[in-house]
Amino acid sequence: MADPILTSLAEVLEARKQAAPDSSYVAALYAKGTDAILKKIGEEATEMVMAAKDGDADKIIYETADLWFHTLVLLAHQGLSPDAVLQELGRRFGVSGLEEKASRK
């Protein structure tokens, strides 16, 4: 179900788990742990919101890519795959947002 780009990126992120922290940005982020990854996601989410407020399409795309990337880093760090998220989105597809939210209770 996964997109080829997501699959390739997930493979690289998984490989970075075995890399020395000084060998790549992602390896260094993994070495810093979950809190550092979460902080980065928060920063990227804020930057994406600011880009959206500015209404600049190129900035929105750029910042969304940063946010998605760091979210993928978190998924890999937690032993999860992008495919699991795509499957969840697929499960929700065609279900009213109101119905889906009500089912969480």
Side-chain angles (χ1 to χ4, degrees), residues 17-87:
K17 288 181 177 181
Q18 308 306 317
D22 62 351
S23 68
S24 80
Y25 169 76
V26 171
L29 201 50
Y30 285 146
K32 292 177 185 175
T34 303
D35 286 346
I37 296 168
L38 295 174
K39 180 179 177 187
K40 196 65 187 160
I41 289 171
E43 290 171 7
E44 298 302 344
T46 299
E47 290 172 5
M48 193 271 296
V49 168
M50 290 170 29
K53 293 284 277 178
D54 291 344
D56 183 326
D58 289 339
K59 283 184 183 177
I60 293 168
I61 291 167
Y62 183 88
E63 297 301 343
T64 299
D66 280 353
L67 177 59
W68 285 13
F69 175 81
H70 287 89
T71 301
L72 291 169
V73 170
L74 176 68
L75 288 172
H77 185 67
Q78 296 291 324
L80 302 168
S81 72
D83 199 48
V85 177
L86 292 173
Q87 288 175 11

